[in-house]
Amino acid sequence: MAAGTRRIEVDEVNDVTVAKFTDKKILDESNIQLIGNQLFSLVDEDRRMKIVLDFSNVEYLSSAALGKLITMDKKVKGISGKLRFCSIRSDILEVFKITRLDKLFQIKENREKALEGF
Amino acid sequence: MPPLAIMVEDFEVWIPSDTAAGQQVQERIIGLLEQRQFPDRDVFGMRLALEEALVNAIKHGNQMDPEKSVRINCHVDQDMIRVEIEDQGEGFVVEDVPDPTSEENLERPCGRGIMLMRAFMSLIEYNDLGNKVTLEKRRSPPEDESAPGSDD
């Protein structure tokens, strides 16, 4: 796998960064590592304060991926930024509910709603 | 409906402590469920549980040691699937794993794998040593496919 492979597509909507996962399955360890690094660089390097993560492509994700999302949430909060998730399919939403992470993360139905009042 | 002999399949494989090898077995097992037209929700749960169990065996059990292997035994028929995953590590005490949903642990980035396996499987069982997990999933009745989950 090429080191430079983009695992997220980044868009700017006004002052909000929308990062869309390109993978259907966020399972494999090395892939999760890569995705994590690309997400973290939005905060650590680019200092983006308002971020929406778009899950519309994602069909599977593992607990290791949840770990990266928790770390991402902490990083964003660490710079007093805001993080929202959107377009999560019902199976995956259930994963968030089972692990009670739906209480930790701000989850919106779709991109438009995630951008509202951000 | 194909004859019963075709619908029942048992196999056992040993794989190295390598997550790519784990992925291959995962795909093989998921293929068996898809052939038997298990509901999507069952397939989703099985893939998730297999991923968690295989990563646990390879990373935490065998510590990615190339000298160690993971044994996978699978039985599948029309009604259920049972998968045993055994590593060559020292095992662990399942009860010692902290509850990831408690307030103090909610923001910790690990410890959710076993919880997800429990939620999606019909049965999950560890041996006394804690180096072997058995995952069992019975086919969900068709009406369950449109059941809860879509509510807010």
Side-chain angles (χ1 to χ4, degrees):
Chain A
M1 189 183 301
T5 310
R6 293 304 300 176
R7 295 293 172 188
I8 50 172
E9 282 171 10
V10 180
D11 267 345
E12 294 293 332
V13 182
N14 300 322
D15 60 341
V16 180
T17 299
V18 181
K20 184 176 180 178
F21 295 102
T22 57
D23 292 276
K24 281 187 178 180
K25 297 174 191 165
I26 309 183
L27 293 175
D28 167 61
E29 195 71 16
S30 58
N31 197 14
I32 289 172
Q33 199 65 33
L34 204 57
I35 291 170
N37 291 343
Q38 289 178 11
L39 285 179
F40 301 160
S41 76
L42 295 175
V43 184
D44 295 338
E45 290 166 31
D46 305 344
R47 312 295 286 178
R48 297 175 198 243
M49 304 282 285
K50 296 179 182 177
I51 301 172
V52 172
L53 298 185
D54 183 332
F55 285 75
S56 49
N57 287 329
V58 182
E59 293 176 5
Y60 288 97
L61 97 182
S62 67
S63 66
L66 295 177
K68 295 292 179 193
L69 295 174
I70 293 167
T71 304
M72 179 67 178
D73 188 60
K74 282 185 184 171
K75 282 180 182 285
V76 175
K77 284 175 180 160
I79 60 166
S80 304
K82 286 185 189 170
L83 180 68
R84 288 179 179 174
F85 298 172
C86 74
S87 309
I88 300 177
R89 64 186 65 206
S90 61
D91 282 337
I92 294 184
L93 199 55
E94 198 180 341
V95 169
F96 283 105
K97 286 180 179 171
I98 290 164
T99 53
R100 287 193 61 218
L101 290 173
D102 60 323
K103 308 288 177 212
L104 182 68
F105 301 133
Q106 278 198 49
I107 299 174
K108 305 288 178 184
E109 195 180 329
N110 53 42
R111 189 182 283 215
E112 289 68 36
K113 291 195 174 157
L115 290 168
E116 267 172 30
F118 211 165
Chain B
M1 173 79 69
L4 192 63
I6 295 177
M7 303 315 289
V8 177
E9 185 156 335
D10 291 273
F11 74 85
E12 182 163 297
V13 287
W14 289 84
I15 60 163
S17 302
D18 170 6
T19 52
Q23 290 279 326
Q24 281 177 12
V25 180
Q26 197 185 108
E27 291 303 329
R28 178 173 174 184
I29 294 173
I30 293 303
L32 295 173
L33 291 183
E34 287 173 346
Q35 275 172 16
R36 287 160 182 78
Q37 296 173 343
F38 272 69
D40 288 348
R41 193 179 178 283
D42 292 355
V43 177
F44 176 88
M46 197 68 214
R47 189 188 283 280
L48 196 63
L50 283 173
E51 173 68 20
E52 301 296 344
L54 286 165
V55 166
N56 282 351
I58 293 166
K59 270 185 72 179
H60 304 302
N62 286 355
Q63 311 266 316
M64 307 286 280
D65 183 344
E67 301 292 313
K68 290 180 177 169
S69 305
V70 176
R71 180 182 69 84
I72 298 130
N73 183 291
C74 174
H75 166 89
V76 60
D77 57 38
Q78 252 332 78
D79 301 320
M80 60 87 79
I81 177 160
R82 185 175 53 245
V83 182
E84 278 178 17
I85 297 172
E86 182 174 4
D87 62 60
Q88 296 177 318
E90 292 173 3
F92 72 109
V93 180
V94 182
E95 291 75 23
D96 288 352
V97 177
D99 175 7
T101 62
S102 65
E103 275 319 313
E104 67 270 23
N105 294 329
L106 199 57
E107 293 191 38
R108 285 177 58 176
C110 50
R112 289 174 177 80
I114 295 172
M115 168 170 231
L116 289 173
M117 288 192 270
R118 282 197 203 290
F120 283 99
M121 293 293 96
S122 310
L123 175 96
I124 152 171
E125 218 169 54
Y126 279 89
N127 64 349
D128 289 343
L129 183 59
N131 70 330
K132 183 177 88 172
V133 62
T134 303
L135 305 172
E136 201 173 293
K137 180 68 188 168
R138 285 184 287 279
R139 179 191 288 271
S140 301
E143 63 266 27
D144 272 15
E145 282 193 84
S146 58
S150 54
D151 59 312
D152 282 329

